[in-house]
Amino acid sequence: MCNEIKRTKRESVLTNQLIRSGTSIGANIREAMYAHGKADFIAKLQIALKECSESEYWLELLIESGYYDDSAVLNQCTEVKRLLIASINTAKKNQI
């Protein structure tokens, strides 16, 4: 998506930010899989949640500015955010 926007609309500032925050979500989830305990697991997921929220912001800007017109990707980002929130809440509830 970002490459298509860069190629056709010649926009790179927002798409570069989206690439950074979007890839950070997965990287932090991967780190959480190998956490050093429950607190570290929760901390990594919270970082992923922050990055997801940032990605949501960049997607909103791309859509509102007319660089991208398919809100499905924004809906997917929102769903990932909901899953992260639920995972964090479950981990906190089960933390002993």
Side-chain angles (χ1 to χ4, degrees), residues 31-44 91 95-96:
E31 284 188 42
M33 291 169 50
Y34 299 97
H36 298 287
K38 200 68 87 138
D40 189 35
F41 176 79
I42 292 167
K44 298 296 185 200
Q95 189 176 26
I96 295 176

Side-chain angles (χ1 to χ4, degrees), residues 20-95:
R20 285 185 186 97
S21 62
T23 55
S24 182
I25 298 166
N28 281 288
I29 291 171
R30 178 63 63 94
E31 284 188 42
M33 291 169 50
Y34 299 97
H36 298 287
K38 200 68 87 138
D40 189 35
F41 176 79
I42 292 167
K44 298 296 185 200
L45 288 185
Q46 287 175 325
I47 294 169
L49 177 59
K50 288 179 182 181
E51 295 295 332
C52 189
S53 181
E54 182 180 338
S55 296
E56 187 177 47
Y57 171 74
W58 296 122
L59 286 167
E60 289 169 353
L61 285 181
L62 284 165
I63 291 168
E64 289 174 14
S65 63
Y67 287 112
Y68 195 69
D69 61 0
D70 186 357
S71 62
V73 70
L74 179 60
N75 293 336
Q76 291 172 344
C77 184
T78 302
E79 184 60 26
V80 169
K81 187 170 76 168
R82 287 186 187 124
L83 290 169
L84 285 167
I85 290 169
S87 297
I88 291 166
N89 288 339
T90 299
K92 284 180 177 179
K93 187 172 84 173
N94 294 335
Q95 189 176 26

